Amino acid sequence: MQGGVSGFQNAPVTRAVVVASGLLSVVFSAQRRGRALGISYQEIITNFRLWKIFPSAFAFQSTPELMFGLYLLYYFRVFERQIGSNKYSVFCLFTITVSSLLEILSLVILKDTNYISTLASGPYGLIFASFVPFFLDIPVSSRFRIFGLNFSDKSFIYLAGLQLLLSSWKRSLIPGIFGLVAGSLYHLNVFGIRKMKIPQVISSFFARYFAPSPGSTPRPSRTVVGNTPSQTGRAVQNQPSTGFAPMVEPPESSVAMLVSMGFDGNDARQALMRARNDINVATNILLEAQSR
């Protein structure tokens, strides 16, 4: 299953998270301190080393975890393209904060047991929180069979997540579960979190320093309601329709699918209407419009 337009186009926050996670993982691994990243009751509560929460929330402890983790972070950039970088920043901060607090709470509760003493480090909270909208909002676009077993284009993402979830058994299982809890709380709009926004100064910083350089990848133009249509939007409007039946309003699932591929929502809707809700035809219309 493709994660949309390649690269970090329209996903500067994802790029910042991937860069931070990769760099911190490499630095601590080079210093042979990767295994010391995981948070424990003694480190956080007894010794009050709260600074360890930050590297623990981003740096992975092993190469396999780093590979699967960065792959999932990169794939889930589709959500930043869907909801915008500002709201995605809120999603990242909320899920990382909530999952980290739950991890610390679990260490306090389990401190007198031998069940677990240290939790795995890495952005488990953000990654597994992203599986909530992935399950609820991303439709299946194709199904196939391998050795008699049914799979979909989403199956490989789930398998990568399962591998990461069980990579360190209990040490990674607990942060992964808390990530799912944090994602569910965000989906339920607890405290009205889905309406909150990051200050413009911070969002501008990410857009300036972590957005891809101009011309590095094809950029689907956005259409602002009430303003002049984008170049892609005008090209889509000029495309000949595929029949003579009256245009039907496209389903939101089809629009979401095209948006997840990196296209603008309004452009996707227009293309679907001209393609009579055929996603493949609409995709071709949008790609042809971009090449003009």
Side-chain angles (χ1 to χ4, degrees), residues 4 19 49 65 106 127 132 150 161 174 218 254:
V19 170
R49 296 177 179 174
E65 291 173 332
S106 70
I127 291 173
V132 175
N150 294 319
I174 292 177
S254 298

Side-chain angles (χ1 to χ4, degrees), residues 11-215:
V13 177
T14 300
R15 185 177 188 178
V17 173
V18 168
V19 170
S21 180
L23 286 178
L24 286 173
S25 300
V26 171
V27 169
F28 280 98
S29 176
Q31 296 178 352
R32 302 184 182 275
R33 297 175 57 186
R35 291 295 175 184
L37 282 173
I39 61 174
S40 64
Y41 177 84
Q42 182 177 1
E43 291 283 351
I44 302 301
I45 305 301
T46 305
N47 298 333
F48 207 64
R49 296 177 179 174
L50 298 180
W51 62 268
K52 291 196 65 175
I53 297 176
F54 177 78
S56 176
F58 287 96
F60 290 101
Q61 293 178 303
S62 67
T63 301
E65 291 173 332
L66 177 64
M67 293 175 59
F68 281 101
L70 292 187
Y71 169 73
L72 290 170
L73 286 171
Y74 177 76
Y75 176 83
F76 287 140
R77 73 196 187 283
V78 298
F79 300 124
E80 181 174 359
R81 290 170 174 168
Q82 283 183 334
I83 65 178
S85 297
N86 196 301
K87 288 188 176 181
Y88 187 72
S89 300
V90 175
F91 174 80
C92 293
L93 289 174
F94 178 79
T95 54
I96 291 174
T97 301
V98 170
S99 60
S100 297
L101 290 175
L102 290 175
E103 289 175 24
I104 295 173
L105 179 62
S106 70
L107 290 173
V108 173
I109 295 174
L110 300 173
K111 66 181 178 65
D112 295 326
T113 68
N114 294 324
Y115 184 75
I116 193 168
S117 59
T118 305
L119 297 177
S121 66
Y124 284 85
L126 174 59
I127 291 173
F128 287 95
S130 300
F131 273 99
V132 175
F134 177 73
F135 174 76
L136 296 173
D137 300 333
I138 300 297
V140 173
S141 60
S142 63
R143 298 182 184 275
F144 52 92
R145 294 172 65 87
I146 300 179
F147 301 117
L149 299 177
N150 294 319
F151 292 91
S152 74
D153 54 339
K154 298 174 66 174
S155 298
F156 295 107
I157 304 300
Y158 287 126
L159 290 174
L162 183 62
Q163 170 65 33
L164 182 62
L165 183 67
L166 302 178
S167 58
S168 298
W169 187 219
K170 292 182 292 187
R171 297 175 60 247
S172 57
L173 182 64
I174 292 177
I177 291 175
F178 288 149
L180 292 172
V181 172
S184 300
L185 292 176
Y186 181 88
H187 179 75
L188 294 173
N189 198 26
V190 175
F191 306 123
I193 187 64
R194 298 175 69 173
K195 296 182 179 179
M196 296 183 183
K197 290 186 177 182
I198 296 294
Q200 188 62 35
V201 175
I202 300 178
S203 60
S204 298
F205 170 82
F206 282 104
R208 174 177 298 181
Y209 292 102
F210 292 98
S213 58

